[in-house]
Amino acid sequence: LAKTFSLQIWATDLWISASDNWKRIREAGMSRQIYPLHAEAHTLPYADGFFDAAISLDAYHYFGTDDLYLGNYFARLVKPGGQIGIVVPGLREEFSSGVPEHLKPYWVWDFCSFHSPSWWQTRWENTPGIRVERADFMEEGWKHWLLWQETMREHGNHYDASEAEMLRVDEGRNLGFVRLTARVS
């Protein structure tokens, strides 16, 4: 985003230290556009209305399933008229009869944060000051998720073989990425 659109980015992460991110930022020659911070999602060190836009990639489902998080906290960080966007692991449709049989051997408690586009859209539309512009399931998302797992393995990073196998078994029938964008009023 910083390179393509000449944006300033405040790269906030809980699991990756600001120092580690800073090293990568400098190596990419982006030290005047990207500013790393280490923070937890409920204690972000930003002023209300500070951002033109806020995005979260592969993280929002860990803290944003709380019905109050978006309106009482996250959206306040964005200027009126600004945008919010997320991409999170999710479901094509909510499981009405429980976890499908082919996924049960792989299912762990953390996956209870996976939801469908309609689930997310309902939560966001019920938040005052939020107008959802897009809520969809990325058809090839499961392939990107699997590629991420395989890339992590190839580079000697944390690799979840069970999660990768779950994605192979499911083949996008249920699992993938959910994308939402909204405007703040």
Side-chain angles (χ1 to χ4, degrees):
L1 292 172
K3 281 183 181 179
T4 302
F5 301 106
S6 298
L7 300 174
Q8 288 184 331
I9 307 290
W10 277 258
T12 308
D13 204 302
L14 174 63
W15 295 332
I16 301 171
S17 77
S19 294
D20 288 346
N21 274 336
W22 184 238
K23 180 182 177 200
R24 282 188 287 280
I25 291 164
R26 286 192 331 266
E27 288 170 356
M30 300 303 297
S31 62
R32 293 184 179 201
Q33 286 178 260
I34 305 175
Y35 311 99
L37 290 151
H38 185 258
E40 200 278 330
H42 294 87
T43 57
L44 298 172
Y46 306 113
D48 291 356
F50 184 71
F51 294 106
D52 295 318
I55 63 170
S56 176
L57 303 174
D58 193 24
Y60 194 86
H61 60 294
Y62 291 115
F63 46 84
T65 56
D66 174 351
D67 288 337
L68 304 178
Y69 183 78
L70 180 63
N72 285 352
Y73 190 70
F74 197 62
R76 289 191 346 235
L77 304 177
V78 178
K79 296 173 185 173
Q83 290 185 297
I84 295 174
I86 66 169
V87 175
V88 292
L91 307 173
R92 183 177 299 277
E93 301 290 335
E94 293 297 308
F95 296 151
S96 59
S97 303
V99 177
E101 287 300 318
H102 72 282
L103 295 177
K104 283 184 179 178
Y106 311 100
W107 204 256
V108 296
W109 175 248
D110 292 0
F111 297 164
C112 292
S113 67
F114 297 170
H115 291 287
S116 66
S118 62
W119 187 93
W120 283 107
Q121 183 171 359
T122 298
R123 296 301 174 291
W124 283 28
E125 285 179 342
N126 287 329
T127 303
I130 298 296
R131 181 175 43 87
V132 174
E133 296 178 333
R134 173 183 223 140
D136 63 3
F137 187 78
M138 300 171 70
E139 287 302 323
E140 300 294 314
W142 75 275
K143 291 179 181 177
H144 299 294
W145 186 352
L146 179 58
L147 177 60
W148 172 250
Q149 283 291 333
E150 292 168 346
T151 301
M152 295 294 282
R153 182 191 70 229
E154 289 169 14
H155 291 278
N157 295 315
H158 173 72
Y159 166 72
D160 190 331
S162 178
E163 188 173 305
E165 182 61 22
M166 176 181 70
L167 293 166
R168 284 187 200 93
V169 167
D170 187 64
E171 295 182 311
R173 287 179 282 170
N174 299 282
L175 300 170
F177 285 126
V178 171
R179 171 178 47 194
L180 271 92
T181 60
R183 186 113 8 219
V184 176
S185 59

